[in-house]
Amino acid sequence: MSRFSIPALLFFSTLFAATTVAQKADAPNTKQPVATVDGQPIYDGDLAPSVEGQLQPLRNQEYEIKRKALDNLIEQKMLEAAAKKKGLTTEKLLDQEVNSKVSDPSDAELQGYYVGLGKVTQPFADVKTKLRDSYKQTKIRQAREDYLKSLRADSNVVVLLSAPRVEVASDPARVRGNSKAPVMIVEFSDYQCPYCHSVEPTVKELLTKYGDKVSLSYRDFPLTAIHSQAMISAEASRCALEQGKFWEYHDQLFTSSKLEKNDLIEYARNLKLDDKQFDSCLTSEKYKADIEKDEQEGRKAGVNGTPGFFINGVFLNGAQPKDSFTRVIDDELARKNNHPTASIRITRVER
């Protein structure tokens, strides 16, 4: 991760202050109309249903820019504090704690690095010297990141910069984990979506890692235009819910590629569900309207593809790596621990 110079740090501090003032000055007054038609007022809040999906990515982009700058400022302050304790400059601290501890790569390491690059057409002997410098710099960058993580672990860092939030409902009938957990992940997903399948192990790993601190609520977002079995699979999961085995059936669907009706019935049979009740439920399409309601609420919140996650209302789009989830979850837990009276409204789907 790149570092900012002192003038750059001052620039970002000024930028944040100016942005805050500008936001206060430009923020729409929702009590005042933004237009009138024959005397009938239109308010800023009336625009939300039609524009939320377009505005949410922009809000997230703005937050990510600020967050990257903030992370750099936090790291700079931690380095300055650690350097002060040792009576060193930050540059000498990094030389002592990072650079000096990274050894020159061996020929075996370089050979593995060369093979791993894959696209190098020149013989190994011809590029060995350049590879040595490149690989050592890579090792230094990794060692520096590890050192910064250790500093952060030993520091009392609470990020108060708030990510954009969307008030999104959870479904109490489809919650995995502690329903009263301080962090609720609401997932909008599609059983036929390959990206949803690929992120499923990450979601399970997070629930195991955080235990009672994090829970998951599943909601349907079938992409019927491109996934022909997405709707019937979602309906089948609701039929399994009807017999008390939603999560078992959910897990089965996310480990399967066959989603035709006969396959769905067979999965129900394997879970010892009542055949006749399940078949009748699936044939009747009794939950189709509920599934469409999930999709509509997802789109209103800014979801336009799958998977889409809301962590206490903070949006993560797509099959993100574990670190993207843990950053938001850790921020939320730190916020809860340092502000016990703060509350984040997570509404529930009325059934």
Side-chain angles (χ1 to χ4, degrees), residues 189-210:
S189 194
D190 173 332
Y191 290 112
Q192 200 177 352
C193 163
Y195 299 106
C196 301
H197 281 241
S198 68
V199 79
E200 184 65 14
T202 299
V203 174
K204 287 186 174 180
E205 187 177 345
L206 290 167
L207 293 175
T208 299
K209 174 182 178 179
Y210 289 97

Side-chain angles (χ1 to χ4, degrees), residues 275-293:
D275 275 8
K276 290 184 179 180
Q277 181 182 341
F278 186 87
D279 193 2
S280 174
C281 173
L282 196 56
T283 302
S284 71
E285 299 184 346
K286 63 192 289 186
Y287 292 111
K288 189 172 183 179
D290 292 331
I291 293 166
E292 289 172 345
K293 183 180 177 183

Side-chain angles (χ1 to χ4, degrees), residues 1 3 71 74-75 78-79 94 98 141-157 322-323 326 330:
M1 185 180 292
R3 302 285 169 260
D71 284 342
I74 289 171
E75 290 174 1
M78 291 191 304
L79 283 172
L94 289 171
V98 178
R141 283 194 296 272
Q142 184 58 56
R144 183 172 176 141
E145 291 301 320
D146 292 341
Y147 178 62
L148 287 168
K149 285 180 181 178
S150 71
L151 287 181
R152 189 154 188 156
D154 294 335
S155 304
N156 182 22
V157 177
K322 186 176 71 171
D323 286 350
T326 57
D330 289 344

Side-chain angles (χ1 to χ4, degrees), residues 147-190:
Y147 178 62
L148 287 168
K149 285 180 181 178
S150 71
L151 287 181
R152 189 154 188 156
D154 294 335
S155 304
N156 182 22
V157 177
V158 180
V159 175
L160 301 177
L161 176 67
S162 184
R165 295 181 191 275
V166 180
E167 187 173 315
V168 62
S170 63
D171 184 349
R174 292 177 293 170
V175 171
R176 174 171 262 171
N178 174 19
S179 61
K180 296 182 179 180
V183 176
M184 168 72 78
I185 303 174
V186 179
E187 175 185 4
F188 287 88
S189 194
D190 173 332

